[in-house]
Amino acid sequence: MSVLVFVEGFNGEIKKSSLEAATYGYQVAQQLGTSATAVAIGEVHEDALAKLGEQGISKVLYDADSRLNDFVADAYVKVIAKAAQQENAKVLVFSNSNIGAAVGAKLAVRLNGSLATNVTTLPKTDGGFIVTRSVFSGKAFAEVNLTSDVKIIAVKKNALEIANAGSGAATIEKFSAELTDADFVAAPKETIMQDTSGGVLLTEAEIVVSGGRGLKGPENWHLVEDLAKALGAATACSKPVADLDWRPHHEHVGQTGIAVSPNLYIAIGISGAIQHLAGVNSSKVIVVINKDPEAPFFKAADYGIVGDAFDVVPKLIEAARAL
Ligand code: FAD
């Protein structure tokens, strides 16, 4: 019996959220007195896979089939299910990313397992397998007991630190689920948003600088971009900004957009409507810049600046560049 972690690549490297999942998988394996194996799919550098040993992963099953470079849910599910079968894995761990959540649900059906998404804690294993999940857009927590033989856990991003278990390089084993072309033809190719701003993947970013309608128009977006560049951050926006075509839709965060959980979220000229907060309130630190002291976002903020964005943001850019 082992724990199997599905790791996702981006630009050949392992995503930060998958390193978190690997850390989690290793810690569960420690609890259960077993080892943690990873499965990787598509284009990922082998040295990046070997480095998973730092998170405690002992072995990586690597399916380098180039047809898997784009996400195809059913094909990914087949690969992971076969890896789980080979390793006799009873606990499967993913990041709660778009891809992780999609394959986790399908795998739960296929393996007759139980799935818990947005998990924030290691399981309590005395008298069950109880994990805590973040629910209602991060407003509450629920404890769930996974009672089926196969347990599938999607770990909430940025909920735990990446540990360095220091156990050397993981061994890489070439792996194939012997997929046929039919596995790709039958299923439409899914498009999972992987867009980046300034080379930083929004869903993985440690810092996000986000703009709202208070910025008046797309011609003023250099304020968001310059601050993001100075901080090494990704850029994001509120829904109306994307609806107005000031920014592309893949930057829209919130209930109907992308959910982010960076260490720092800087909101500029955004009112803080509940639908916007739903996608950003898991951020560790929220900084709000708004000229209206009554803006609802201030209630969710750790730090607030009441002021005109056109005065405040250039000063912040200057300060960030000087860091
Ligand atoms: P506004 O509400 O217009 O706020 C602009 C803010 O800028 C104001 O607080 C104002 O005081 C401030 N401001 C103005 N000028 C300046 C200045 N010079 N300097 C500093 N501050 C200034 N919204 C999302 O963002 N994401 C979602 O996923 C989402 N999903 C939705 C789903 C549904 C079903 C519905 C009904 C709505 C959804 N919305 C979503 C829309 C949401 O309700 C708000 O309308 C939206 O978030 C407001 O965007 P905003 O804050 O950019 O604009």
PDB file of all heavy atoms in Angstrom, residues 212-214 216 238-241 252-257 269-273 275-276 289-292 295 307-310, ligand 1:
ATOM      1  N   GLY A 212      -9.549  47.167 -10.428  1.00  0.00           N
ATOM      2  CA  GLY A 212     -10.991  47.201 -10.640  1.00  0.00           C
ATOM      3  C   GLY A 212     -11.398  48.409 -11.456  1.00  0.00           C
ATOM      4  O   GLY A 212     -10.558  49.121 -12.026  1.00  0.00           O
ATOM      5  N   ARG A 213     -12.726  48.631 -11.458  1.00  0.00           N
ATOM      6  CA  ARG A 213     -13.275  49.703 -12.287  1.00  0.00           C
ATOM      7  C   ARG A 213     -12.799  51.079 -11.837  1.00  0.00           C
ATOM      8  O   ARG A 213     -12.856  52.047 -12.590  1.00  0.00           O
ATOM      9  CB  ARG A 213     -14.802  49.607 -12.224  1.00  0.00           C
ATOM     10  CG  ARG A 213     -15.475  50.025 -13.480  1.00  0.00           C
ATOM     11  CD  ARG A 213     -16.796  49.385 -13.724  1.00  0.00           C
ATOM     12  NE  ARG A 213     -17.593  49.145 -12.526  1.00  0.00           N
ATOM     13  CZ  ARG A 213     -18.807  48.601 -12.567  1.00  0.00           C
ATOM     14  NH1 ARG A 213     -19.339  48.287 -13.742  1.00  0.00           N
ATOM     15  NH2 ARG A 213     -19.493  48.381 -11.462  1.00  0.00           N
ATOM     16  N   GLY A 214     -12.289  51.145 -10.592  1.00  0.00           N
ATOM     17  CA  GLY A 214     -11.769  52.424 -10.096  1.00  0.00           C
ATOM     18  C   GLY A 214     -10.581  52.924 -10.891  1.00  0.00           C
ATOM     19  O   GLY A 214     -10.208  54.101 -10.786  1.00  0.00           O
ATOM     20  N   LYS A 216     -10.568  53.277 -14.014  1.00  0.00           N
ATOM     21  CA  LYS A 216     -11.201  54.127 -15.064  1.00  0.00           C
ATOM     22  C   LYS A 216     -11.086  53.608 -16.493  1.00  0.00           C
ATOM     23  O   LYS A 216     -11.941  53.897 -17.320  1.00  0.00           O
ATOM     24  CB  LYS A 216     -10.682  55.586 -15.058  1.00  0.00           C
ATOM     25  CG  LYS A 216     -10.543  56.230 -13.709  1.00  0.00           C
ATOM     26  CD  LYS A 216     -11.891  56.525 -13.082  1.00  0.00           C
ATOM     27  CE  LYS A 216     -11.731  57.239 -11.751  1.00  0.00           C
ATOM     28  NZ  LYS A 216     -12.726  56.837 -10.782  1.00  0.00           N
ATOM     29  N   SER A 238     -11.123  42.603 -11.599  1.00  0.00           N
ATOM     30  CA  SER A 238     -12.493  42.274 -11.209  1.00  0.00           C
ATOM     31  C   SER A 238     -13.283  41.886 -12.467  1.00  0.00           C
ATOM     32  O   SER A 238     -12.843  42.117 -13.593  1.00  0.00           O
ATOM     33  CB  SER A 238     -13.147  43.470 -10.506  1.00  0.00           C
ATOM     34  OG  SER A 238     -13.289  44.532 -11.428  1.00  0.00           O
ATOM     35  N   LYS A 239     -14.459  41.334 -12.255  1.00  0.00           N
ATOM     36  CA  LYS A 239     -15.269  40.851 -13.384  1.00  0.00           C
ATOM     37  C   LYS A 239     -15.669  41.960 -14.371  1.00  0.00           C
ATOM     38  O   LYS A 239     -15.516  41.799 -15.580  1.00  0.00           O
ATOM     39  CB  LYS A 239     -16.512  40.137 -12.837  1.00  0.00           C
ATOM     40  CG  LYS A 239     -17.424  39.542 -13.898  1.00  0.00           C
ATOM     41  CD  LYS A 239     -18.547  38.759 -13.221  1.00  0.00           C
ATOM     42  CE  LYS A 239     -19.420  38.077 -14.246  1.00  0.00           C
ATOM     43  NZ  LYS A 239     -20.182  39.013 -15.062  1.00  0.00           N
ATOM     44  N   PRO A 240     -16.171  43.111 -13.853  1.00  0.00           N
ATOM     45  CA  PRO A 240     -16.572  44.141 -14.826  1.00  0.00           C
ATOM     46  C   PRO A 240     -15.424  44.576 -15.730  1.00  0.00           C
ATOM     47  O   PRO A 240     -15.640  44.899 -16.901  1.00  0.00           O
ATOM     48  CB  PRO A 240     -17.030  45.309 -13.950  1.00  0.00           C
ATOM     49  CG  PRO A 240     -17.224  44.783 -12.598  1.00  0.00           C
ATOM     50  CD  PRO A 240     -16.467  43.509 -12.460  1.00  0.00           C
ATOM     51  N   VAL A 241     -14.223  44.565 -15.177  1.00  0.00           N
ATOM     52  CA  VAL A 241     -13.053  44.971 -15.971  1.00  0.00           C
ATOM     53  C   VAL A 241     -12.859  44.022 -17.157  1.00  0.00           C
ATOM     54  O   VAL A 241     -12.571  44.452 -18.285  1.00  0.00           O
ATOM     55  CB  VAL A 241     -11.805  45.001 -15.043  1.00  0.00           C
ATOM     56  CG1 VAL A 241     -10.521  45.013 -15.849  1.00  0.00           C
ATOM     57  CG2 VAL A 241     -11.869  46.215 -14.134  1.00  0.00           C
ATOM     58  N   HIS A 252      -9.746  37.470 -14.688  1.00  0.00           N
ATOM     59  CA  HIS A 252     -10.873  37.793 -13.803  1.00  0.00           C
ATOM     60  C   HIS A 252     -10.914  36.830 -12.613  1.00  0.00           C
ATOM     61  O   HIS A 252     -10.972  35.639 -12.785  1.00  0.00           O
ATOM     62  CB  HIS A 252     -12.132  37.797 -14.681  1.00  0.00           C
ATOM     63  CG  HIS A 252     -13.410  37.349 -14.050  1.00  0.00           C
ATOM     64  ND1 HIS A 252     -14.434  36.821 -14.777  1.00  0.00           N
ATOM     65  CD2 HIS A 252     -13.822  37.355 -12.770  1.00  0.00           C
ATOM     66  CE1 HIS A 252     -15.430  36.518 -13.983  1.00  0.00           C
ATOM     67  NE2 HIS A 252     -15.096  36.816 -12.766  1.00  0.00           N
ATOM     68  N   VAL A 253     -10.855  37.402 -11.411  1.00  0.00           N
ATOM     69  CA  VAL A 253     -10.900  36.559 -10.217  1.00  0.00           C
ATOM     70  C   VAL A 253     -12.232  36.754  -9.491  1.00  0.00           C
ATOM     71  O   VAL A 253     -12.874  37.799  -9.610  1.00  0.00           O
ATOM     72  CB  VAL A 253      -9.727  36.873  -9.236  1.00  0.00           C
ATOM     73  CG1 VAL A 253      -8.401  36.422  -9.795  1.00  0.00           C
ATOM     74  CG2 VAL A 253      -9.670  38.342  -8.860  1.00  0.00           C
ATOM     75  N   GLY A 254     -12.632  35.730  -8.769  1.00  0.00           N
ATOM     76  CA  GLY A 254     -13.885  35.831  -8.027  1.00  0.00           C
ATOM     77  C   GLY A 254     -14.716  34.584  -8.172  1.00  0.00           C
ATOM     78  O   GLY A 254     -14.252  33.557  -8.669  1.00  0.00           O
ATOM     79  N   GLN A 255     -15.958  34.705  -7.730  1.00  0.00           N
ATOM     80  CA  GLN A 255     -16.880  33.566  -7.725  1.00  0.00           C
ATOM     81  C   GLN A 255     -17.045  32.967  -9.108  1.00  0.00           C
ATOM     82  O   GLN A 255     -17.107  31.752  -9.265  1.00  0.00           O
ATOM     83  CB  GLN A 255     -18.229  34.073  -7.207  1.00  0.00           C
ATOM     84  CG  GLN A 255     -19.317  33.049  -7.095  1.00  0.00           C
ATOM     85  CD  GLN A 255     -20.648  33.719  -6.783  1.00  0.00           C
ATOM     86  OE1 GLN A 255     -20.742  34.617  -5.942  1.00  0.00           O
ATOM     87  NE2 GLN A 255     -21.684  33.302  -7.464  1.00  0.00           N
ATOM     88  N   THR A 256     -17.127  33.820 -10.109  1.00  0.00           N
ATOM     89  CA  THR A 256     -17.322  33.305 -11.472  1.00  0.00           C
ATOM     90  C   THR A 256     -16.017  33.323 -12.263  1.00  0.00           C
ATOM     91  O   THR A 256     -16.022  33.048 -13.459  1.00  0.00           O
ATOM     92  CB  THR A 256     -18.375  34.161 -12.220  1.00  0.00           C
ATOM     93  OG1 THR A 256     -18.051  35.537 -12.027  1.00  0.00           O
ATOM     94  CG2 THR A 256     -19.769  33.889 -11.704  1.00  0.00           C
ATOM     95  N   GLY A 257     -14.933  33.635 -11.609  1.00  0.00           N
ATOM     96  CA  GLY A 257     -13.636  33.637 -12.291  1.00  0.00           C
ATOM     97  C   GLY A 257     -12.688  32.677 -11.605  1.00  0.00           C
ATOM     98  O   GLY A 257     -13.090  31.637 -11.088  1.00  0.00           O
ATOM     99  N   GLY A 269      -8.671  49.926  -6.499  1.00  0.00           N
ATOM    100  CA  GLY A 269      -9.919  50.422  -7.103  1.00  0.00           C
ATOM    101  C   GLY A 269     -10.946  49.326  -7.292  1.00  0.00           C
ATOM    102  O   GLY A 269     -11.657  49.300  -8.300  1.00  0.00           O
ATOM    103  N   ILE A 270     -11.020  48.412  -6.334  1.00  0.00           N
ATOM    104  CA  ILE A 270     -12.020  47.327  -6.370  1.00  0.00           C
ATOM    105  C   ILE A 270     -12.902  47.491  -5.137  1.00  0.00           C
ATOM    106  O   ILE A 270     -12.400  47.658  -4.015  1.00  0.00           O
ATOM    107  CB  ILE A 270     -11.345  45.931  -6.353  1.00  0.00           C
ATOM    108  CG1 ILE A 270     -10.389  45.786  -7.540  1.00  0.00           C
ATOM    109  CG2 ILE A 270     -12.390  44.816  -6.378  1.00  0.00           C
ATOM    110  CD1 ILE A 270      -9.606  44.465  -7.566  1.00  0.00           C
ATOM    111  N   SER A 271     -14.229  47.442  -5.313  1.00  0.00           N
ATOM    112  CA  SER A 271     -15.129  47.742  -4.195  1.00  0.00           C
ATOM    113  C   SER A 271     -15.130  46.654  -3.139  1.00  0.00           C
ATOM    114  O   SER A 271     -15.334  46.931  -1.956  1.00  0.00           O
ATOM    115  CB  SER A 271     -16.552  47.963  -4.725  1.00  0.00           C
ATOM    116  OG  SER A 271     -16.978  46.824  -5.446  1.00  0.00           O
ATOM    117  N   GLY A 272     -14.929  45.382  -3.560  1.00  0.00           N
ATOM    118  CA  GLY A 272     -14.946  44.277  -2.593  1.00  0.00           C
ATOM    119  C   GLY A 272     -16.308  43.643  -2.471  1.00  0.00           C
ATOM    120  O   GLY A 272     -16.716  43.229  -1.377  1.00  0.00           O
ATOM    121  N   ALA A 273     -17.003  43.525  -3.601  1.00  0.00           N
ATOM    122  CA  ALA A 273     -18.306  42.835  -3.602  1.00  0.00           C
ATOM    123  C   ALA A 273     -18.089  41.384  -3.190  1.00  0.00           C
ATOM    124  O   ALA A 273     -17.013  40.824  -3.403  1.00  0.00           O
ATOM    125  CB  ALA A 273     -18.925  42.900  -5.002  1.00  0.00           C
ATOM    126  N   GLN A 275     -19.015  38.681  -4.410  1.00  0.00           N
ATOM    127  CA  GLN A 275     -18.617  37.745  -5.484  1.00  0.00           C
ATOM    128  C   GLN A 275     -17.132  37.873  -5.800  1.00  0.00           C
ATOM    129  O   GLN A 275     -16.513  36.921  -6.230  1.00  0.00           O
ATOM    130  CB  GLN A 275     -19.436  38.013  -6.759  1.00  0.00           C
ATOM    131  CG  GLN A 275     -20.929  37.812  -6.615  1.00  0.00           C
ATOM    132  CD  GLN A 275     -21.662  39.057  -6.165  1.00  0.00           C
ATOM    133  OE1 GLN A 275     -21.062  40.086  -5.872  1.00  0.00           O
ATOM    134  NE2 GLN A 275     -22.981  38.973  -6.111  1.00  0.00           N
ATOM    135  N   HIS A 276     -16.561  39.040  -5.622  1.00  0.00           N
ATOM    136  CA  HIS A 276     -15.122  39.203  -5.831  1.00  0.00           C
ATOM    137  C   HIS A 276     -14.369  38.543  -4.671  1.00  0.00           C
ATOM    138  O   HIS A 276     -13.432  37.763  -4.882  1.00  0.00           O
ATOM    139  CB  HIS A 276     -14.752  40.687  -5.941  1.00  0.00           C
ATOM    140  CG  HIS A 276     -13.302  40.905  -6.273  1.00  0.00           C
ATOM    141  ND1 HIS A 276     -12.828  40.926  -7.563  1.00  0.00           N
ATOM    142  CD2 HIS A 276     -12.211  41.057  -5.479  1.00  0.00           C
ATOM    143  CE1 HIS A 276     -11.511  41.079  -7.543  1.00  0.00           C
ATOM    144  NE2 HIS A 276     -11.110  41.166  -6.286  1.00  0.00           N
ATOM    145  N   ILE A 289      -6.576  49.324  -1.750  1.00  0.00           N
ATOM    146  CA  ILE A 289      -6.382  50.754  -2.040  1.00  0.00           C
ATOM    147  C   ILE A 289      -7.680  51.253  -2.675  1.00  0.00           C
ATOM    148  O   ILE A 289      -8.070  50.790  -3.758  1.00  0.00           O
ATOM    149  CB  ILE A 289      -5.197  50.958  -3.013  1.00  0.00           C
ATOM    150  CG1 ILE A 289      -3.910  50.377  -2.414  1.00  0.00           C
ATOM    151  CG2 ILE A 289      -5.025  52.447  -3.349  1.00  0.00           C
ATOM    152  CD1 ILE A 289      -2.830  50.109  -3.449  1.00  0.00           C
ATOM    153  N   ASN A 290      -8.345  52.159  -1.961  1.00  0.00           N
ATOM    154  CA  ASN A 290      -9.643  52.621  -2.459  1.00  0.00           C
ATOM    155  C   ASN A 290      -9.874  54.024  -1.939  1.00  0.00           C
ATOM    156  O   ASN A 290      -9.539  54.316  -0.773  1.00  0.00           O
ATOM    157  CB  ASN A 290     -10.755  51.665  -1.972  1.00  0.00           C
ATOM    158  CG  ASN A 290     -12.032  51.838  -2.764  1.00  0.00           C
ATOM    159  OD1 ASN A 290     -12.576  52.934  -2.842  1.00  0.00           O
ATOM    160  ND2 ASN A 290     -12.499  50.740  -3.354  1.00  0.00           N
ATOM    161  N   LYS A 291     -10.447  54.880  -2.769  1.00  0.00           N
ATOM    162  CA  LYS A 291     -10.617  56.268  -2.303  1.00  0.00           C
ATOM    163  C   LYS A 291     -11.854  56.427  -1.422  1.00  0.00           C
ATOM    164  O   LYS A 291     -12.009  57.447  -0.747  1.00  0.00           O
ATOM    165  CB  LYS A 291     -10.650  57.226  -3.493  1.00  0.00           C
ATOM    166  CG  LYS A 291     -11.859  57.149  -4.364  1.00  0.00           C
ATOM    167  CD  LYS A 291     -11.801  58.248  -5.423  1.00  0.00           C
ATOM    168  CE  LYS A 291     -13.048  58.251  -6.259  1.00  0.00           C
ATOM    169  NZ  LYS A 291     -13.010  59.208  -7.352  1.00  0.00           N
ATOM    170  N   ASP A 292     -12.724  55.396  -1.407  1.00  0.00           N
ATOM    171  CA  ASP A 292     -13.931  55.461  -0.582  1.00  0.00           C
ATOM    172  C   ASP A 292     -13.697  54.713   0.730  1.00  0.00           C
ATOM    173  O   ASP A 292     -13.586  53.490   0.744  1.00  0.00           O
ATOM    174  CB  ASP A 292     -15.100  54.821  -1.360  1.00  0.00           C
ATOM    175  CG  ASP A 292     -16.362  54.716  -0.523  1.00  0.00           C
ATOM    176  OD1 ASP A 292     -16.375  55.266   0.590  1.00  0.00           O
ATOM    177  OD2 ASP A 292     -17.319  54.074  -0.996  1.00  0.00           O
ATOM    178  N   ALA A 295     -15.734  51.607   1.392  1.00  0.00           N
ATOM    179  CA  ALA A 295     -15.722  50.463   0.457  1.00  0.00           C
ATOM    180  C   ALA A 295     -15.715  49.154   1.256  1.00  0.00           C
ATOM    181  O   ALA A 295     -14.917  49.005   2.195  1.00  0.00           O
ATOM    182  CB  ALA A 295     -14.492  50.538  -0.448  1.00  0.00           C
ATOM    183  N   GLY A 307      -7.257  56.293  -0.371  1.00  0.00           N
ATOM    184  CA  GLY A 307      -6.616  57.307  -1.204  1.00  0.00           C
ATOM    185  C   GLY A 307      -6.883  57.056  -2.665  1.00  0.00           C
ATOM    186  O   GLY A 307      -7.423  56.005  -3.054  1.00  0.00           O
ATOM    187  N   ASP A 308      -6.522  58.030  -3.458  1.00  0.00           N
ATOM    188  CA  ASP A 308      -6.720  57.929  -4.907  1.00  0.00           C
ATOM    189  C   ASP A 308      -5.619  57.041  -5.500  1.00  0.00           C
ATOM    190  O   ASP A 308      -4.427  57.306  -5.287  1.00  0.00           O
ATOM    191  CB  ASP A 308      -6.657  59.349  -5.499  1.00  0.00           C
ATOM    192  CG  ASP A 308      -7.108  59.362  -6.950  1.00  0.00           C
ATOM    193  OD1 ASP A 308      -6.697  58.443  -7.717  1.00  0.00           O
ATOM    194  OD2 ASP A 308      -7.873  60.265  -7.320  1.00  0.00           O
ATOM    195  N   ALA A 309      -6.035  56.008  -6.227  1.00  0.00           N
ATOM    196  CA  ALA A 309      -5.065  55.059  -6.800  1.00  0.00           C
ATOM    197  C   ALA A 309      -4.026  55.785  -7.653  1.00  0.00           C
ATOM    198  O   ALA A 309      -2.860  55.366  -7.703  1.00  0.00           O
ATOM    199  CB  ALA A 309      -5.796  54.026  -7.651  1.00  0.00           C
ATOM    200  N   PHE A 310      -4.456  56.878  -8.295  1.00  0.00           N
ATOM    201  CA  PHE A 310      -3.533  57.568  -9.204  1.00  0.00           C
ATOM    202  C   PHE A 310      -2.442  58.342  -8.441  1.00  0.00           C
ATOM    203  O   PHE A 310      -1.418  58.690  -9.004  1.00  0.00           O
ATOM    204  CB  PHE A 310      -4.319  58.485 -10.149  1.00  0.00           C
ATOM    205  CG  PHE A 310      -5.243  57.673 -11.022  1.00  0.00           C
ATOM    206  CD1 PHE A 310      -6.570  57.466 -10.665  1.00  0.00           C
ATOM    207  CD2 PHE A 310      -4.774  57.070 -12.182  1.00  0.00           C
ATOM    208  CE1 PHE A 310      -7.408  56.687 -11.446  1.00  0.00           C
ATOM    209  CE2 PHE A 310      -5.599  56.285 -12.966  1.00  0.00           C
ATOM    210  CZ  PHE A 310      -6.919  56.092 -12.595  1.00  0.00           C
TER     211      PHE A 310
HETATM  212  P1  FAD B   1     -17.040  48.914  -8.743  1.00  0.00           P
HETATM  213  O1  FAD B   1     -18.059  48.225  -7.927  1.00  0.00           O
HETATM  214  O2  FAD B   1     -17.487  49.923  -9.721  1.00  0.00           O
HETATM  215  O3  FAD B   1     -15.995  49.524  -7.730  1.00  0.00           O
HETATM  216  C1  FAD B   1     -14.977  50.383  -8.077  1.00  0.00           C
HETATM  217  C2  FAD B   1     -14.277  50.812  -6.792  1.00  0.00           C
HETATM  218  O4  FAD B   1     -13.202  51.676  -7.145  1.00  0.00           O
HETATM  219  C3  FAD B   1     -15.172  51.607  -5.837  1.00  0.00           C
HETATM  220  O5  FAD B   1     -15.092  51.019  -4.536  1.00  0.00           O
HETATM  221  C4  FAD B   1     -14.579  53.017  -5.830  1.00  0.00           C
HETATM  222  O6  FAD B   1     -14.655  53.630  -4.555  1.00  0.00           O
HETATM  223  C5  FAD B   1     -13.146  52.725  -6.201  1.00  0.00           C
HETATM  224  N1  FAD B   1     -12.505  53.853  -6.886  1.00  0.00           N
HETATM  225  C6  FAD B   1     -12.999  54.649  -7.851  1.00  0.00           C
HETATM  226  N2  FAD B   1     -12.062  55.537  -8.270  1.00  0.00           N
HETATM  227  C7  FAD B   1     -10.956  55.286  -7.532  1.00  0.00           C
HETATM  228  C8  FAD B   1      -9.683  55.852  -7.497  1.00  0.00           C
HETATM  229  N3  FAD B   1      -9.321  56.863  -8.310  1.00  0.00           N
HETATM  230  N4  FAD B   1      -8.789  55.365  -6.607  1.00  0.00           N
HETATM  231  C9  FAD B   1      -9.104  54.339  -5.766  1.00  0.00           C
HETATM  232  N5  FAD B   1     -10.316  53.755  -5.773  1.00  0.00           N
HETATM  233  C10 FAD B   1     -11.221  54.235  -6.635  1.00  0.00           C
HETATM  234  N6  FAD B   1     -17.144  40.386  -9.579  1.00  0.00           N
HETATM  235  C11 FAD B   1     -15.880  39.967  -9.549  1.00  0.00           C
HETATM  236  O7  FAD B   1     -14.927  40.746  -9.406  1.00  0.00           O
HETATM  237  N7  FAD B   1     -15.617  38.634  -9.705  1.00  0.00           N
HETATM  238  C12 FAD B   1     -16.587  37.712  -9.877  1.00  0.00           C
HETATM  239  O8  FAD B   1     -16.288  36.522 -10.030  1.00  0.00           O
HETATM  240  C13 FAD B   1     -17.937  38.143  -9.909  1.00  0.00           C
HETATM  241  N8  FAD B   1     -18.942  37.261 -10.084  1.00  0.00           N
HETATM  242  C14 FAD B   1     -20.233  37.713 -10.032  1.00  0.00           C
HETATM  243  C15 FAD B   1     -21.285  36.790 -10.104  1.00  0.00           C
HETATM  244  C16 FAD B   1     -22.590  37.225 -10.038  1.00  0.00           C
HETATM  245  C17 FAD B   1     -23.682  36.212 -10.131  1.00  0.00           C
HETATM  246  C18 FAD B   1     -22.859  38.600  -9.888  1.00  0.00           C
HETATM  247  C19 FAD B   1     -24.286  39.088  -9.785  1.00  0.00           C
HETATM  248  C20 FAD B   1     -21.851  39.515  -9.819  1.00  0.00           C
HETATM  249  C21 FAD B   1     -20.512  39.094  -9.902  1.00  0.00           C
HETATM  250  N9  FAD B   1     -19.454  39.994  -9.806  1.00  0.00           N
HETATM  251  C22 FAD B   1     -18.179  39.526  -9.771  1.00  0.00           C
HETATM  252  C23 FAD B   1     -19.661  41.448  -9.828  1.00  0.00           C
HETATM  253  C24 FAD B   1     -19.615  42.063  -8.425  1.00  0.00           C
HETATM  254  O9  FAD B   1     -20.910  41.985  -7.813  1.00  0.00           O
HETATM  255  C25 FAD B   1     -19.214  43.536  -8.500  1.00  0.00           C
HETATM  256  O10 FAD B   1     -20.138  44.208  -9.335  1.00  0.00           O
HETATM  257  C26 FAD B   1     -17.805  43.737  -9.047  1.00  0.00           C
HETATM  258  O11 FAD B   1     -16.883  42.949  -8.331  1.00  0.00           O
HETATM  259  C27 FAD B   1     -17.436  45.209  -8.923  1.00  0.00           C
HETATM  260  O12 FAD B   1     -16.207  45.421  -9.610  1.00  0.00           O
HETATM  261  P2  FAD B   1     -15.285  46.645  -9.201  1.00  0.00           P
HETATM  262  O13 FAD B   1     -15.051  46.592  -7.740  1.00  0.00           O
HETATM  263  O14 FAD B   1     -14.128  46.623 -10.119  1.00  0.00           O
HETATM  264  O15 FAD B   1     -16.163  47.901  -9.618  1.00  0.00           O
END
